[in-house]
Amino acid sequence: MRKLIWGGTWFMLALWSLLAWASHSLVEWAGQVAARNSDMVTMHPETVEWLSWLANVAGVAGGTIVIVIWAIGCALALGLATVLSWIVGRGEPSRLPTRQTLSRP
């Protein structure tokens, strides 16, 4: 049962990581597109520069937020798998030798 718990956990972490990678790429791409096209909002040069900088910062901040959420999700998944594995392990008989098996007749 423990192998099933850990196998499922690693599979879900792989999917979670793939989703986080795609989200990070999308957020960064959106920030870059917004930064490149900031001149469509206004023709004032200082405002264009400011909007471009703001879009770059938003893209980087969004990517950082995605990484933090990914790390929290990984920690929760691994913690849950550890607890479940511990609970399942308590129900199994101990493999350590007992006093009865060590005593000689």
Side-chain angles (χ1 to χ4, degrees):
M1 188 67 171
R2 285 182 174 182
K3 288 183 181 181
L4 181 65
I5 290 171
W6 284 104
T9 299
W10 289 115
F11 178 74
M12 292 306 293
L13 282 177
L15 289 177
W16 178 247
S17 297
L18 186 63
L19 177 68
W21 174 74
S23 300
H24 184 271
S25 297
L26 183 64
V27 167
E28 249 184 34
W29 175 79
Q32 290 173 356
V33 168
R36 274 186 260 132
N37 296 316
S38 60
D39 59 340
M40 293 183 162
V41 177
T42 182
M43 295 303 290
H44 189 261
E46 290 179 9
T47 306
V48 170
E49 176 107 12
W50 182 78
L51 288 174
S52 176
W53 175 83
L54 189 63
N56 277 328
V57 168
V60 170
T64 303
I65 290 170
V66 168
I67 291 171
V68 168
I69 292 172
W70 170 80
I72 291 170
C74 287
L76 289 174
L78 290 171
L80 181 64
T82 302
V83 169
L84 287 176
S85 182
W86 181 73
I87 290 171
V88 168
R90 289 188 65 184
E92 295 176 0
S94 176
R95 303 209 192 294
L96 297 174
T98 61
R99 188 177 274 184
Q100 292 173 347
T101 59
L102 291 177
S103 65
R104 296 182 183 200

